[in-house]
Amino acid sequence: PDFATMINWLKNGDIDIVVDSVYPTMVMVDQAGVKPILRRWKSGTEQYYTVLFARNDANIQSVQDLRGKMVALEEPTSTSGYMLPKAYLISAGLNLTEKPSAEAPVASNEVGYVFTRPDNDVDIIQWVLSGKTPAGAVNSATFDSFSAESKKSLVVLGKTEIVARHVVSVRADLDVKAVDALKQILLQMDSSADGKAVLKSFENTTKFDAFPAGIETTLSRMRELFALTSAKPAEVF
């Protein structure tokens, strides 16, 4: 029903396996000690990134021009709609401040950001094109789905680094032999007709695989991005 319950279930051993994007995964690593083990390909996509963009008549040509402006983001639990763009802007030396509404004032030395409706980042382009906010950020697949006509009215300000689309994690104290067996089953599921049918039934999963750069390298970078955006992660959820 909510993220706090999930954390408790993981700590109590009621939940053994959880699949989510990078940012929620890192909250669960931080608060429940889960261990990422594999990558999930969602609808044929193994990785993605975020595109930051502005209306081309808003006098914004780079992220540095966002000072004193408002950026529309998706929701505070999103990897592509919160963690990636916020980490990107912070790394660019910008001071980000969450605002209660798109109409809230933004000081000249800060970049304001406001959340649109959860799970509906298509609203963000509508906000930008209508002038509700001069800039926004969406995941790469959503940006690619924008019409050619809409893209003519936009300027791309930046593209974040690429991260895993989804991460499979297990609770902290799950038996090592069980984890190894689970990994082998998941890694082999796309090699049989029955396995592919089960994968498809799970929100059109293509397959599971290992992290190309290795789990430790991947986890280290995930931690760095998480640290940039989540000084107080418990309050986000």
Side-chain angles (χ1 to χ4, degrees):
D2 53 60
F3 206 83
T5 301
M6 176 63 79
I7 294 295
N8 287 332
W9 283 349
L10 287 163
K11 288 181 176 179
N12 295 337
D14 298 316
I15 293 292
D16 304 300
I17 310 160
V18 62
V19 183
D20 214 324
S21 63
V22 170
Y23 183 64
T25 295
M26 292 313 298
V27 175
M28 289 184 282
V29 168
D30 185 63
Q31 297 187 19
V34 301
K35 298 177 181 178
I37 59 170
L38 293 173
R39 184 173 66 168
R40 175 199 173 206
W41 291 47
K42 183 178 181 180
S43 299
T45 302
E46 78 277 25
Q47 55 190 15
Y48 69 157
Y49 57 92
T50 296
V51 179
L52 294 101
F53 60 93
R55 213 172 54 252
N56 58 16
D57 62 353
N59 196 30
I60 301 172
Q61 297 300 315
S62 74
V63 293
Q64 298 301 325
D65 296 329
L66 290 173
R67 289 186 176 88
K69 304 288 197 307
M70 187 78 77
V71 180
L73 300 181
E74 183 184 353
E75 61 174 330
T77 60
S78 173
T79 299
S80 62
Y82 175 65
M83 185 188 81
L84 287 178
K86 187 173 183 181
Y88 184 90
L89 294 172
I90 291 173
S91 296
L94 299 172
N95 174 34
L96 271 68
T97 305
E98 182 180 349
K99 301 295 183 179
S101 71
E103 295 73 31
V106 181
S108 60
N109 65 340
E110 66 179 5
V111 176
Y113 66 91
V114 63
F115 294 111
T116 62
R117 293 185 298 174
D119 301 320
N120 193 4
D121 55 359
V122 176
D123 274 354
I124 292 177
I125 189 174
Q126 297 169 358
W127 280 33
V128 174
L129 291 177
S130 67
K132 189 168 185 176
T133 60
V138 297
N139 69 65
S140 48
T142 297
F143 188 84
D144 289 344
S145 72
F146 292 166
S147 69
E149 190 64 27
S150 294
K151 288 180 180 178
K152 288 180 182 178
S153 303
L154 305 174
V155 56
V156 173
L157 305 176
K159 297 178 180 179
T160 71
E161 66 186 84
I162 297 170
V163 297
R165 184 66 186 86
H166 260 185
V167 178
V168 182
S169 302
V170 295
R171 62 178 169 84
D173 58 347
L174 192 62
D175 180 75
V176 174
K177 291 183 179 179
V179 174
D180 289 341
L182 171 66
K183 288 172 66 175
Q184 290 306 309
I185 290 171
L186 293 179
L187 289 170
Q188 295 171 10
M189 287 189 76
D190 63 313
S191 63
S192 70
D194 286 346
K196 288 179 179 178
V198 173
L199 290 172
K200 186 174 180 60
S201 70
F202 176 37
E203 295 184 338
N204 200 28
T205 298
T206 306
K207 67 176 184 178
F208 298 98
D209 69 358
F211 296 98
I215 185 61
E216 288 306 320
T217 298
T218 301
L219 193 57
S220 176
R221 183 54 184 157
M222 286 163 58
R223 285 194 183 101
E224 290 172 357
L225 292 170
F226 181 67
L228 279 175
T229 55
S230 306
K232 297 179 180 179
E235 295 183 6
V236 172
F237 295 87

